[in-house]
Amino acid sequence: MTTTALRTAARVVGAVKVYGGGDTAVHALDGVDVDFPAGRFTAIMGPSGSGKSTLMHCAAGLDTLTSGAAYIGDTELGALDDRRLTLLRRDRVGFVFQAFNLVPTLTVEENITLPLDLAGRWGDREWIDALVGVVGLGDRLHHRPSELSGGQQQRVAVARAFAGRPDVVFADEPTGNLDSRSGGEVLALLGRAVRQMDRTVVMVTHDPVAAAHADEVLFLADGRLVDRMASPTADKVLDRMKAFEVRS
Ligand SMILES: Nc1ncnc2c1ncn2[C@@H]1O[C@H](COP(=O)(O)OP(=O)(O)O)[C@@H](O)[C@H]1O
Ligand SMILES: [Mg+2]
């Protein structure tokens, strides 16, 4: 055999997530099978309430599935006790959220190396330096978050997410609080991390322009995976979104 399958950084199989019960039960995920290949930038799109954040949280081990299974690499998250799950989230997964969630009393540099410090790991200095270079914050390392613009703060959060070389970085609406120029910088940065540094990114967004930075876009509707698009452009994504709206 000479074929080499893409390595899978994360995946969910038969993912079902039900919130509540009885008449008011919400099927946030209604049987999703998807894998996120390593070394790729995948975007998850869909209307508000379609289950994007739920899928991300369950795939990342921040929330548990009602049924089905979620894996980071070959590790099934449902098989881990709380302690192992905490360690897995700390060591193998990175997160970027809409709110930057930096520690205000720490400098930029300390924020970036915080996950490594918490893990008692010696930061790989070359890797951190490369990251700082890629995020373009070399002259801000000793500033506090409050001295930075929103876009700069989110770039710090991105660098922090990659600091421990996790298997996969999950980003939930990472440009949701940013103007389009700063948002574009953050998206370009995520793209560079994937293409120049061989990282894996899964990004939830409802913005076609943001999704166009990905290698592939997955479309969710009503908790189901309804379509996927390789080599997306903002126009193609927008057209696809409109088609869903017409149908539903
Ligand atoms: N903690 C929760 N409790 C009850 N319902 C929830 C909870 N979180 C999400 N939901 C519901 O699940 C569905 C999917 O939500 P979500 O994954 O946040 O969608 P999206 O990120 O695509 O906007 C929505 O109907 C939402 O109201
Ligand atoms: Mg959401």
Side-chain angles (χ1 to χ4, degrees):
M1 292 268 288
T2 54
T3 51
T4 47
L6 280 175
R7 248 179 339 114
T8 297
R11 67 191 163 104
V12 299
V13 181
V16 170
K17 179 67 176 181
V18 183
Y19 289 110
D23 290 348
T24 57
V26 175
H27 290 254
L29 295 178
D30 198 9
V32 175
D33 295 287
V34 70
D35 52 77
F36 302 109
R40 305 262 293 175
F41 187 171
T42 305
I44 302 172
M45 286 207 78
S48 180
S50 57
K52 302 183 295 297
S53 293
T54 303
L55 175 59
M56 193 199 100
H57 291 160
C58 292
L62 293 174
D63 200 351
T64 55
L65 292 166
T66 305
S67 66
Y71 299 81
I72 298 290
D74 294 327
T75 308
E76 197 206 325
L77 304 186
L80 302 179
D81 58 25
D82 282 351
R83 191 183 72 87
R84 283 173 203 280
L85 189 59
T86 301
L87 292 178
L88 174 135
R89 277 197 304 258
R90 189 189 73 186
D91 296 335
R92 296 181 58 191
V93 184
F95 297 98
V96 182
F97 296 101
Q98 188 169 333
F100 320 127
N101 294 343
L102 300 179
V103 179
T105 52
L106 298 182
T107 64
V108 164
E109 184 171 40
E110 290 163 344
N111 267 285
I112 292 173
T113 57
L114 183 63
L116 296 168
D117 297 339
L118 290 176
R121 285 158 70 186
W122 290 103
D124 172 345
R125 196 65 242 180
E126 266 178 53
W127 173 250
I128 299 295
D129 287 346
L131 264 180
V132 166
V134 167
V135 298
L137 290 163
D139 58 346
R140 295 282 194 286
L141 285 180
H142 303 294
H143 289 59
R144 313 243 173 229
S146 60
E147 300 172 290
L148 304 181
S149 70
Q152 289 170 332
Q153 290 186 55
Q154 193 63 310
R155 278 150 54 198
V156 176
V158 169
R160 179 182 57 185
F162 286 109
R165 298 187 197 244
D167 293 21
V168 51
V169 165
F170 290 97
D172 194 353
E173 306 273 7
T175 58
N177 280 345
L178 301 177
D179 60 66
S180 63
R181 193 181 60 83
S182 306
E185 286 170 5
V186 167
L187 292 161
L189 170 57
L190 291 169
R192 281 200 301 279
V194 171
R195 286 161 202 130
Q196 295 174 15
M197 304 175 106
D198 196 30
R199 308 319 306 172
T200 304
V201 171
V202 177
M203 174 181 71
V204 167
T205 182
H206 62 261
D207 175 5
V209 173
H213 285 259
D215 298 309
E216 184 174 29
V217 182
L218 309 178
F219 294 92
L220 281 186
D222 296 329
R224 294 192 182 165
L225 185 65
V226 291
D227 207 353
R228 46 204 308 168
M229 180 191 289
S231 307
T233 66
D235 285 340
K236 275 165 56 184
V237 171
L238 193 58
D239 284 346
R240 193 68 55 96
M241 300 295 287
K242 283 183 189 152
F244 292 137
E245 279 159 22
V246 170
R247 228 179 288 158
S248 58

